[in-house]
Amino acid sequence: MESRPESPRPQGAPRWVAMFYRPAAGSWRTAAQSPHRSPVLYALGEMTRTVRARGDEVTVALWGPKDGAWHRYDTPQHRTAVSQPDPEPAPGQPTGLAERMTGRRHQVLMAGLTQAGLHDLSPEDDTTVRALVERLDEAAVRRVAHWLATAGAAR
C-alpha cells in the first residue's frame, strides 16, 4: 500500500482549507478556503469527483480551526472506482425536461452528501443515489439533502 504524503499546515490564521496533492509536481495546492466549513466541504467533494472522473487518483487534506489553532481533520483515504456515465437513452426514454429534472435531483442529493462529509462515494453509493433520484420527487430529495446538511453541520 502506498503511503499518503504529509500535507503541510496552511499559512495564516486558522480557517477551513482543503488541499490537494499533485503527484506530478510532488506538492500540495490549496484548493478551497473559507471561514466556514460547508463551502470548503462542498468544494472538496466537487473537486474530488471531477479529478476522479478524469481517471486520476485523489489525495486530499482538510484543515480547520480547533480551539483557536490549526487541526488536520480526517478525510477518506480509500480509493473507489469512478462510476461510468450512463449510456445514451434508448428510444422512448425520457429526455429534455425530465432528464434535466433528474439531473437536478441528483445534484441536490450529491450536495447534501458532501455537506454531510461524505466525499468518497463507492459504486454502491452511486447506485443508491441514482435509485433515490428516480423514486423521489424534487421536494423529497431537497428534504433528504437538508437532513444530510444538518447532520454534517452538527459534526
Side-chain angles (χ1 to χ4, degrees):
M1 179 174 179
E2 95 182 47
S3 64
R4 181 179 187 177
E6 191 64 32
S7 166
R9 185 181 65 130
Q11 303 264 332
R15 61 199 177 283
W16 290 99
V17 177
M19 299 182 77
F20 277 76
Y21 181 70
R22 298 183 308 174
S27 65
W28 287 88
R29 176 178 68 93
T30 300
Q33 56 184 320
S34 173
H36 306 286
R37 182 178 183 177
S38 293
V40 173
L41 290 177
Y42 179 79
L44 181 69
E46 291 298 311
M47 286 184 250
T48 298
R49 279 190 285 283
T50 299
V51 171
R52 287 217 174 104
R54 293 181 193 142
D56 296 332
E57 292 294 324
V58 178
T59 302
V60 297
L62 177 64
W63 290 87
K66 184 175 184 181
D67 300 325
W70 282 107
H71 177 75
R72 183 173 174 184
Y73 289 85
D74 288 334
T75 55
Q77 292 185 14
H78 63 281
R79 310 267 195 258
T80 59
V82 177
S83 62
Q84 299 297 317
D86 289 335
E88 290 295 317
Q93 290 288 328
T95 57
L97 179 61
E99 189 174 319
R100 285 196 309 272
M101 293 306 289
T102 299
R104 186 166 146 173
R105 289 192 308 272
H106 187 270
Q107 183 180 14
V108 167
L109 197 51
M110 293 302 289
L113 289 167
T114 298
Q115 289 177 343
L118 302 171
H119 311 287
D120 196 15
L121 299 180
S122 70
E124 293 83 18
D125 294 330
D126 191 50
T127 300
T128 302
V129 168
R130 290 180 190 280
L132 285 171
V133 166
E134 290 172 8
R135 288 181 177 90
L136 299 176
D137 64 11
E138 188 167 349
V141 168
R142 288 192 180 283
R143 193 68 193 153
V144 170
H146 171 75
W147 293 338
L148 292 168
T150 302
R155 291 185 320 138

